[in-house]
Amino acid sequence: MSAARRGVIPALTLEARIKRRLRAHLRELGFVRSDAGLLNPPASTKEALRSLHRIQRASRLKAHGPFIGDRLPQLIKYFASGSEVHADAIKPRLQLIKSDTQEADLFRLASLTWSVPVSQGYGRRMRFLVWDESNDKLIGLIALGDPPFNIRTRDDYIGWNPADRKMRLVDTMDAYVLGAVPPYNLLLGGKLVACLVRSQEIRQTFNERYGSAKGIISRKRKHASLVLVTTSSALGSSSVYNRLKLAGLRYFEPIGFTAGWGHFHIPDDLFDDIRTYLERHKHRDAAGNEFGDGPNWRLRAIKSAFQLIGLDPDLLRHGAQRQVFACQLASNALRVLRGDSSVARYGSLLSAQEVGRLAIERWMLPRSRRRPEYLAWKAEWVQQLLEPSLDGSISRGNRTATVV
């Protein structure tokens, strides 16, 4: 019986298959090669950047289809219709999520509505549901995890050298999920959710979970203090995080752009072939993303496979830059991270409800008066956001709602 009949793909055939599928996928997404041989996205508009993720998103929704079908009927009640939201009564509350709970399922379900697929985070993780206590409906999601080791814009902003970064990276986290769900996103609820990162509840939760924890790799007690949270926009420059001030205090500030490297344009099924190829070559990067491998394992695995196959590793430079933002929880955050101060000062931190009141008055109430279209939103439309189409939006009348 031939290898093909036995279901085994010869290594040479698999190598050719990876090359062929990668080129076809990049063409389908609209990428072109520059004169220098680098990938260029088809356009830099938000809609164009969103469309680059459409196949990845459709594939992920299809893979989660059984979960969505099983849990959506029980969890749909936590999503609000526009008629159930009264901007002057919104009262945000943070709920820390525990694994294997209904709240964890709700977080997973809500994050699948994002038009750009979100990551699962890495290492230390804190996930929160943001509730509206006025109606017991879901406003949005916050997930903080270990930050990538190499972010030049962050390191330049802080003033880190490699030794400083290695010593004090533990005092930072990255917001890898951050945003509001409909209809709250139509009321600029994303700004509210982002501002809640800089709250007493976030700092207290971090202190309780990780303040005295031992490093997984070093096994040394870290005595960490969360003083800085970074995040990046999914679609180039961000209108949500820019100019994010309340009562004269900046909650997030722009610090630069990524260089446009990543792996979002490598679909999951193609990555499965890449891992199989590495396994056949007994390459160390074929192993799963265990602690110690770092958050960029998938990127390294793809790069290693490209080098073995003879593909240009620069194919990982997709050119879709993300704007990077920093949120200082401590008033002396940069001094702490540079080693110039040993005690973080949190005197200006407000509670989630205090932050909420400021954000509602600053953004959500005025928006509700200017743009009352949110009232037409129906909770059951969430189901359409979870269908594996090649779009990230649904249209109702003259309005389109997109979750970002």
Side-chain angles (χ1 to χ4, degrees):
M1 184 181 295
S2 68
R5 289 287 300 277
R6 292 196 304 270
V8 178
I9 305 173
L12 183 59
T13 302
L14 182 57
E15 177 178 314
R17 174 179 169 178
I18 291 172
K19 289 181 177 180
R20 184 170 58 251
R21 291 191 60 211
L22 176 63
R23 288 166 180 154
H25 181 70
L26 293 177
R27 282 197 301 270
E28 184 177 2
L29 290 179
F31 279 103
V32 295
R33 299 292 290 269
S34 69
D35 293 339
L38 299 177
L39 285 181
N40 284 330
S44 59
T45 66
K46 290 188 182 298
E47 285 306 314
L49 293 174
R50 185 180 286 113
S51 72
L52 291 178
H53 296 271
R54 69 188 190 279
I55 296 177
Q56 179 194 24
R57 181 175 188 272
S59 175
R60 185 164 298 185
L61 288 175
K62 184 176 180 180
H64 285 84
F67 167 78
I68 294 170
D70 178 59
R71 298 302 289 137
L72 182 60
Q74 288 76 40
L75 299 176
I76 190 70
K77 62 185 178 183
Y78 297 115
F79 293 89
S81 293
S83 59
E84 298 174 294
V85 177
H86 303 283
D88 57 351
I90 295 172
K91 189 176 181 181
R93 173 176 61 86
L94 290 172
Q95 181 184 15
L96 180 67
I97 297 173
K98 297 180 180 179
S99 300
D100 302 319
T101 61
Q102 177 174 269
E103 290 75 20
D105 286 348
L106 179 57
F107 185 99
R108 178 182 172 188
L109 185 74
S111 67
L112 288 170
T113 66
W114 259 237
S115 62
V116 175
V118 301
S119 74
Q120 301 302 308
Y122 170 80
R124 302 173 301 171
R125 283 181 290 184
M126 304 190 307
R127 297 181 300 161
F128 299 86
L129 297 174
V130 183
W131 291 101
D132 184 351
E133 287 193 337
S134 73
N135 56 17
D136 293 323
K137 302 295 183 180
L138 183 66
I139 296 177
L141 309 173
I142 296 174
L144 308 180
D146 270 339
F149 190 73
N150 291 306
I151 303 182
R152 177 175 293 181
T153 53
R154 176 202 62 203
D155 296 352
D156 290 346
Y157 167 73
I158 294 171
W160 265 346
N161 59 40
D164 289 336
R165 178 181 60 194
K166 183 177 181 180
M167 183 180 300
R168 302 185 185 94
L169 188 64
V170 69
D171 296 322
T172 75
M173 295 193 86
D174 185 69
Y176 62 93
V177 180
L178 190 61
V181 299
Y184 292 93
N185 65 329
L186 302 173
L187 288 172
L188 301 181
K191 291 180 176 289
L192 162 66
V193 173
C195 288
L196 291 174
V197 168
R198 193 184 190 282
S199 66
Q200 294 171 359
E201 287 86 342
I202 296 292
R203 183 245 171 169
Q204 182 178 350
T205 301
F206 178 91
N207 189 56
E208 292 171 352
R209 297 188 69 172
Y210 302 117
S212 300
K214 290 183 178 180
I216 294 171
I217 301 172
S218 68
R219 307 309 302 167
K220 295 180 180 179
R221 200 166 297 280
K222 296 291 188 177
H223 301 292
S225 298
L226 181 62
V227 299
L228 185 78
V229 173
T230 56
T231 196
S232 59
S233 63
L235 303 169
S237 60
S238 171
S239 59
V240 174
Y241 308 129
N242 272 311
R243 301 179 300 278
L244 207 59
K245 290 184 178 181
L246 291 174
L249 182 65
R250 178 173 283 178
Y251 276 66
F252 273 93
E253 59 180 310
I255 61 174
F257 286 83
T258 63
W261 290 84
H263 53 73
F264 78 82
H265 56 309
I266 309 297
D268 291 342
D269 54 353
L270 179 56
F271 181 69
D272 290 340
D273 282 350
I274 287 172
R275 285 195 67 183
T276 299
Y277 183 82
L278 291 175
E279 287 168 358
R280 292 181 182 179
H281 284 77
K282 302 186 186 305
H283 197 285
R284 64 179 183 178
D285 286 334
N289 191 15
E290 303 293 338
F291 286 118
D293 290 336
N296 294 321
W297 159 73
R298 183 166 173 143
L299 193 68
R300 292 200 311 273
I302 297 170
K303 184 176 182 180
S304 296
F306 281 8
Q307 291 172 332
L308 287 172
I309 292 171
L311 288 170
D312 188 348
D314 277 349
L315 288 172
L316 288 169
R317 187 169 187 171
H318 47 66
Q321 293 183 311
R322 293 185 170 203
Q323 192 171 15
V324 183
F325 296 85
C327 172
Q328 297 185 34
L329 278 77
S331 59
N332 61 338
L334 297 184
R335 289 181 55 80
V336 170
L337 293 172
R338 293 169 186 153
D340 297 330
S341 180
S342 59
V343 179
R345 301 192 182 99
Y346 297 99
S348 61
L349 278 185
L350 303 177
S351 69
Q353 289 196 2
E354 290 172 326
V355 172
R357 282 197 294 272
L358 291 173
I360 291 163
E361 292 174 2
R362 172 69 177 84
W363 295 300
M364 300 182 76
L365 269 173
R367 179 75 164 204
S368 70
R369 295 163 183 153
R370 294 194 311 269
R371 301 284 299 274
E373 304 98 292
Y374 76 95
L375 292 168
W377 177 265
K378 304 297 182 185
E380 57 265 28
W381 293 349
V382 168
Q383 181 174 352
Q384 296 176 58
L385 291 174
L386 294 167
E387 294 173 354
S389 67
L390 294 184
D391 198 347
S393 63
I394 64 175
S395 296
R396 290 298 175 197
N398 296 321
R399 177 187 46 79
T400 298
T402 303
V403 182
V404 294

